[in-house]
């Protein structure tokens, strides 16, 4: 499942990438071009707005009801639109949405803090922005988020 998130949903877009979902963040204001790119790439539209209505059978629009960014991911899980193990976790750049590539360990030396370099065995790099990721880099944050999502009873 691939998504396109509207400009109200930047945080959600990042969190979906963390879970491995291919998610475009659309910063523009033109609803028509958002719908066009969703159609062109077969993406599900995520929006807070009420102005989107499906016009064609292929249009898939999910209206996010929750206005707190910290609760929007949980909303998607609770509505069974996503599940936690559908896509490989931590496989995408959070900024660029592209798949990370493994790099030889030596290439990370000097580009990550020394203590990280000595602690970690495997490094990944974003082919687009060259940012380097490792096991702990977004995992700790995400583990906490996932625990929050699963641990807390529904309000
Ligand atoms: Zn990147």
């Amino acid at each position: 499942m691939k998504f396109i998130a509207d400009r109200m949903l930047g945080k959600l877009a990042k969190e979906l990438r963390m879970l491995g979902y291919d998610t475009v963040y659309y910063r523009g204001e033109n609803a028509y071009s958002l719908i066009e790119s969703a159609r062109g790439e077969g993406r599900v539209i995520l929006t807070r707005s009420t102005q989107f209505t499906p016009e064609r059978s292929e249009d898939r629009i999910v209206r996010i009801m929750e206005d707190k960014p910290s609760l929007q991911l949980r909303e998607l899980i609770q509505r069974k639109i996503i599940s936690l193990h559908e896509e490989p976790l931590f496989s995408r750049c959070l900024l660029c949405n592209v798949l990370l590539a493994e790099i030889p360990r030596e290439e990370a030396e000097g580009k990550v803090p020394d203590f990280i370099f000595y602690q970690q065995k495997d490094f990944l790099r974003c082919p687009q922005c060259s940012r380097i990721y490792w096991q702990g880099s977004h995992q700790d944050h995400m583990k906490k988020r996932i625990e929050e999502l699963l641990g807390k009873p529904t309000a």
Side-chain angles (χ1 to χ4, degrees):
M1 179 127 47
K2 297 192 291 183
F3 297 101
I4 183 165
D6 78 5
R7 55 200 296 273
M8 306 283 290
L9 298 171
K11 184 172 186 224
L12 181 62
K14 259 191 175 178
E15 291 190 329
L16 284 168
R17 289 171 186 164
M18 237 183 259
L19 294 179
Y21 287 96
D22 179 344
T23 308
V24 168
Y25 176 40
Y26 182 80
R27 288 183 182 78
E29 299 199 33
N30 183 335
Y32 183 73
S33 74
L34 192 158
I35 291 174
E36 281 296 286
S37 52
R39 283 175 183 159
E41 297 168 22
R43 294 180 184 276
V44 176
I45 295 174
L46 300 173
T47 182
R48 284 279 297 137
S49 157
T50 50
Q51 64 175 314
F52 294 96
T53 42
E55 285 162 16
R56 295 192 199 163
S57 59
E58 79 255 36
D59 293 346
R60 296 180 65 197
I61 297 165
V62 173
R63 187 165 165 238
I64 303 292
M65 311 304 282
E66 187 57 68
D67 59 25
K68 287 203 193 96
S70 60
L71 298 177
Q72 290 166 345
L73 191 67
R74 185 169 76 177
E75 181 186 339
L76 287 180
I77 293 170
Q78 282 173 344
R79 291 166 66 186
K80 307 222 185 316
I81 290 158
I82 59 165
S83 70
L84 288 178
H85 303 291
E86 204 168 23
E87 301 284 338
L89 298 178
F90 320 117
S91 57
R92 265 169 213 283
C93 179
L94 302 187
L95 305 175
C96 311
N97 189 40
V98 296
L99 287 171
L100 303 174
E102 276 178 49
I103 54 168
R105 190 167 177 274
E106 316 81 80
E107 285 188 31
E109 191 167 14
K111 294 181 185 128
V112 299
D114 278 352
F115 76 98
I116 296 289
F117 182 74
Y118 292 112
Q119 258 172 25
Q120 299 293 324
K121 235 171 45 209
D122 303 307
F123 292 93
L124 300 160
R125 182 168 54 205
C126 169
Q128 202 159 305
C129 71
S130 298
R131 191 170 173 209
I132 293 179
Y133 289 85
W134 57 90
Q135 277 278 310
S137 58
H138 47 15
Q139 207 139 322
D140 289 346
H141 167 74
M142 202 59 212
K143 269 194 197 135
K144 248 170 89 189
R145 285 288 288 137
I146 291 171
E147 278 162 22
E148 275 170 27
L149 290 167
L150 301 179
K152 277 189 206 157
T154 319

